Amino acid sequence: MALLNILHYPDERLHTVAKPIATVDDRIRTLVDDMAETMYEAHGIGLAATQVNVHERLVVIDVTEDQSGLTAFINPEIVERRGDTVYEEGCLSVPGIYDKVHRSEWVKVRALDRNGEPFEIETDGLLAICIQHEIDHLNGKVFVEYLSPMKQERIKTKLKKREKRTL
């Protein structure tokens, strides 16, 4: 397994719409493993392939505290949603920034697992929020884009200043 480089907002590559995965093979399973390792190392609960500059429809998520619930979602699709909730979100591509985002409270999702087998889940709470957040990445959208234009500009400025200090 290998750690992958996570793109940081406002990197334009984060706005690339991911393409469907035609075949779940060893390359995809290795990518799942590498993404999981990268997510855990960064102390995240979700990571989309777009965030590691791979523009294919793949997400890994684990919302458990003991890292025992890793799920790969290949070609995920939200087929039903209900309710409305507000949750304070963060993102590995927008480090140190947290803000409230409106999401559906409950979702039904269809996807393929790491073996290419189809599955469906119905969920709410943190897992539902995380799935919506990561699918947004696959569609080229970062959570800060739900915020006001003024907040978006402040976040861009803050992250650019932080990046300059680390160079």
Side-chain angles (χ1 to χ4, degrees):
M1 293 198 294
L3 289 177
L4 305 170
N5 183 43
I6 298 173
L7 301 176
H8 290 130
Y9 182 80
D11 192 309
E12 282 302 313
R13 295 172 290 181
L14 288 168
H15 299 294
T16 305
V17 176
K19 295 186 178 356
I21 294 172
T23 305
V24 178
D25 54 16
D26 286 342
R27 179 185 71 83
I28 295 299
R29 284 185 281 279
T30 297
L31 181 59
V32 167
D33 293 340
D34 291 347
M35 285 175 58
E37 182 180 7
T38 301
M39 176 186 71
Y40 290 137
E41 181 70 22
H43 306 288
I45 60 171
L47 187 66
T50 301
Q51 294 176 270
V52 293
N53 202 28
V54 176
H55 303 288
E56 296 180 276
R57 297 191 75 78
L58 168 61
V59 165
V60 294
I61 294 175
D62 186 347
V63 296
T64 64
E65 290 198 20
D66 64 357
Q67 300 179 347
S68 64
L70 180 68
T71 304
F73 295 82
I74 298 168
N75 298 332
E77 173 186 12
I78 296 174
V79 294
E80 196 176 332
R81 48 177 85 227
R82 287 190 212 130
D84 185 48
T85 190
V86 176
Y87 195 86
E88 187 168 81
E89 296 184 24
C91 180
L92 295 176
S93 289
V94 193
I97 305 294
Y98 300 88
D99 214 316
K100 293 181 176 153
V101 177
H102 288 266
R103 300 275 186 190
S104 297
E105 186 175 37
W106 175 94
V107 293
K108 180 178 185 178
V109 179
R110 220 177 264 144
L112 302 175
D113 67 15
R114 66 177 289 128
N115 297 314
E117 295 298 319
F119 72 98
E120 219 173 68
I121 65 164
E122 298 177 16
T123 189
D124 59 6
L126 181 58
L127 181 56
I129 299 296
C130 191
I131 288 169
Q132 292 170 82
H133 177 109
E134 299 308 332
I135 289 176
D136 273 355
H137 277 300
L138 299 180
N139 294 329
K141 188 168 187 174
V142 180
F143 91 95
V144 297
E145 293 168 43
Y146 286 99
L147 308 177
S148 72
M150 186 171 71
K151 277 189 176 182
Q152 289 179 48
E153 281 307 310
R154 281 201 312 244
I155 290 167
K156 283 179 188 175
T157 301
K158 184 177 186 174
L159 292 175
K160 284 178 182 176
K161 283 181 182 175
R162 188 185 301 161
E163 188 177 306
K164 285 180 183 173
R165 284 195 304 262
T166 59
L167 294 178

